Amino acid sequence: GNSVTQMEGPVTLSEEAFLTINCTYTATGYPSLFWYVQYPGEGLQLLLKATKADDKGSNKGFEATYRKETTSFHLEKGSVQVSDSAVYFCALSVEKAAGNKLTFGGGTRVLVKP
Amino acid sequence: GAGVSQSPSNKVTEKGKDVELRCDPISGHTALYWYRQSLGQGLEFLIYFQGNSAPDKSGLPSDRFSAERTGGSVSTLTIQRTQQEDSAVYLCASSSWGGITDTQYFGPGTRLTVL
């Protein structure tokens, strides 16, 4: 089956620190990979995505590269801000006959302190 | 344009009662998904609608759960005889065509509490 494993949180770091959230996956088929973010009190929103191997998704200073050889899609940001405090979800979608549901990881809570 | 909307935002009900949760997808989106977010299970898929095709119900946890989508737009998720383990945030998402590269846009969710 399909599954996503991401590092457990919470991750606490200071402003301007480097952030990495590890994400690995197993999939039946060729998946598309996503990072979604949930800010406090808000709904899930797409942060970035990559649809084929070696693609790099980027948005708001965050980056993630689709690594097929290691089945990974780690999220990185070089200098975090307090406003990046949120829960981050890694997810995948694999084509099937009746829908392309997202399979999510467990989420990683990130807290950035000033 | 308007995003995905869901109502109610919060619902408190007693065990054994039926509840209905509503989702209004983004206009023109043919694909609609329901997910559930709970402390114990994380984010899990429930059901998927695509146009006029038969829905993919593979994620529904029991036959107490059902959903319909009228006119290819609004969807209602119904939980019959609610149980305490049904307490969760129910999320609706829509996407333009339902492909695996397609972005799913999520609503704010309905927080269901079963007493």
Side-chain angles (χ1 to χ4, degrees), chain A residues 3-51:
Chain A
S3 67
V4 177
T5 302
Q6 60 182 107
M7 58 191 293
E8 290 190 21
V11 175
T12 303
L13 56 166
S14 300
E15 215 166 15
E16 299 184 3
F18 186 88
L19 171 67
T20 299
I21 304 176
N22 290 336
C23 170
T24 58
Y25 67 88
T26 58
T28 54
Y30 200 118
S32 290
L33 303 174
F34 305 82
W35 277 100
Y36 278 82
V37 60
Q38 190 170 35
Y39 297 104
E42 298 185 18
L44 270 174
Q45 54 186 275
L46 179 69
L47 181 59
L48 53 84
K49 68 179 182 182
T51 60

Side-chain angles (χ1 to χ4, degrees), chain A residues 30-32 34 36 38 43-44 46 49 51 89 93-96 98-102 104-105, chain B residues 33 35 37 42-45 48 54 56 58 91 98-108:
Chain A
Y30 200 118
S32 290
F34 305 82
Y36 278 82
Q38 190 170 35
L44 270 174
L46 179 69
K49 68 179 182 182
T51 60
F89 293 90
S93 177
V94 180
E95 190 155 14
K96 58 179 288 194
N100 305 306
K101 64 188 181 186
L102 288 168
F104 288 91
Chain B
Y33 304 79
Y35 295 87
Q37 186 174 22
L43 266 161
E44 53 182 345
F45 165 80
Y48 161 79
D56 177 358
S58 59
L91 298 172
I100 69 164
T101 62
D102 204 15
T103 297
Q104 293 182 29
Y105 296 87
F106 284 80

Side-chain angles (χ1 to χ4, degrees), chain A residues 28-89:
Chain A
T28 54
Y30 200 118
S32 290
L33 303 174
F34 305 82
W35 277 100
Y36 278 82
V37 60
Q38 190 170 35
Y39 297 104
E42 298 185 18
L44 270 174
Q45 54 186 275
L46 179 69
L47 181 59
L48 53 84
K49 68 179 182 182
T51 60
K52 60 182 188 296
D54 300 324
D55 270 2
K56 178 185 285 187
S58 61
N59 186 26
K60 298 182 179 180
F62 290 89
E63 292 184 340
T65 301
Y66 189 141
R67 300 289 187 199
K68 195 169 188 292
E69 64 276 15
T70 55
T71 62
S72 65
F73 192 53
H74 304 321
L75 182 68
E76 297 181 336
K77 185 173 185 180
S79 176
V80 294
Q81 305 299 312
V82 172
S83 57
D84 294 324
S85 297
V87 182
Y88 293 82
F89 293 90

